[in-house]
Amino acid sequence: MSALADLINLDLSDSTEKIIAEYIWIGGSGLDMRSKARTLPGPVKDPSELPKWNYDGSSTGQAPGSDSEVILYPQAIFKDPFRRGNNILVMCDAYTPAGEPIPANKRHAAAKIFSDPSVAAEETWYGIEQEYTLLQKDIKWPVGWPVGGFPGPQGPYYCGVGADKAFGRDIVDSHYKACLYAGINVSGTNGEVMPGQWEFQVGPTVGIAAADQVWVARYILERITELAGVVLSLDPKPIPGDWNGAGAHTNYSTKSMREDGGYEVIKKAIEKLGLRHKEHISAYGEGNERRLTGKHETADINTFVWGVANRGASIRVGRDTEQAGKGYFEDRRPASNMDPYTVTSMIAETTILWKP
């Protein structure tokens, strides 16, 4: 195995200027991630320098076999923490040969919203808290849990330390460092309330870049769990019963919210979000009704409520924001399996562009 490891870790820069670009895209379910690699003649620094590419959409549930070609448009570049050197990861979105975005391409619509002059002027900042659960591969049961049984009740696991409280920390720390290496603005990580569940945070990051970074961070995590022989789950309620679900709390601010007098802007934005509660819930992830029950630090899915320092609310405003009279708020409704392109752009659209 050492010889295989040596080959995997070969530094290509010693023998060639060529690099490997791993093109990444979102599959037909809207959640599965796909990727394939190609050789390029030399280092690349901007997506505009990269060629478009195609793939067989009939094998990803995104095109019929009789007309299966789907085109990848490179959109964002990251350093490759697996191959290292000048090799790169490339986040792409997908189009028909005629140039129309395919249904799974949520980035295209998001880009339109973020390029609107009114939205661009507000310099929207996002901080996304991605929760996830690590599962044992063969039985799809959380790591650290006894086979066919349950651990002790919740309480000691949140930010816990010790072999009987923290399960999978090697994966978590590997992911943290790999994301920083890649150029993703990961701001932290922690163990969650349910054992075997963890969270990483991306941000603050401006506009559509926040969603690009969350998707690539998910991709890197999938690759690391693949190496570790563990399954990554973004199910919002992986274990029924008295166990916390998994969300993707989305922290948000605009330039107006961050300036003096911003608290009034925040309250008006929250009022608009309340008026479109049903529309947001419908776009905030599959299976979210199993998580948003009014228990386990959630508001009921059919109720919109906001409050200061209230983790049982739909929207939480931090105590520091209230005291400063400016800052940000947290939308606690998105599920762990939400599409960050949809959620980030929808929040911007509702709070900036939408007129009640």
Side-chain angles (χ1 to χ4, degrees), residues 84 108 134 216 283 300 323:
R84 306 181 194 180
H108 180 78
L134 299 174
V216 176
D300 181 82
Q323 292 173 348

Side-chain angles (χ1 to χ4, degrees), residues 208-353:
I208 203 166
D212 286 335
Q213 291 190 22
V214 169
W215 273 116
V216 176
R218 287 176 174 179
Y219 172 82
I220 291 172
L221 184 54
E222 286 271 24
R223 289 281 304 275
I224 291 172
T225 54
E226 173 189 321
L227 290 170
V230 170
V231 174
L232 169 65
S233 172
L234 296 182
D235 189 298
K237 186 72 173 179
I239 305 296
D242 194 19
W243 303 98
N244 274 38
H249 301 156
T250 301
N251 299 274
Y252 170 73
S253 71
T254 64
K255 184 178 180 182
S256 299
M257 294 175 189
R258 298 188 294 270
E259 294 175 344
D260 290 343
Y263 194 49
E264 291 304 312
V265 180
I266 288 172
K267 288 194 287 186
K268 289 177 182 177
I270 293 173
E271 181 181 354
K272 292 171 78 174
L273 287 168
L275 293 173
R276 296 191 76 196
H277 177 62
K278 288 184 178 179
E279 291 91 331
H280 279 256
I281 286 295
S282 68
Y284 273 16
E286 295 294 326
N288 214 8
E289 72 282 352
R290 294 182 282 116
R291 167 180 162 262
L292 298 180
T293 62
K295 300 177 182 179
H296 304 110
E297 302 181 48
T298 70
D300 181 82
I301 194 168
N302 297 310
T303 304
F304 182 87
V305 59
W306 75 277
V308 176
N310 182 2
R311 295 183 184 276
S314 311
I315 303 288
R316 181 184 68 87
V317 175
R319 189 71 68 188
D320 54 348
T321 293
E322 180 190 45
Q323 292 173 348
K326 58 185 177 181
Y328 70 98
F329 64 82
E330 174 192 44
D331 191 339
R332 296 179 60 82
R333 297 171 295 172
S336 50
N337 60 6
M338 62 83 160
D339 187 320
Y341 293 129
T342 299
V343 169
T344 56
S345 61
M346 195 172 192
I347 292 173
E349 180 185 33
T350 295
T351 59
I352 299 172
L353 300 178

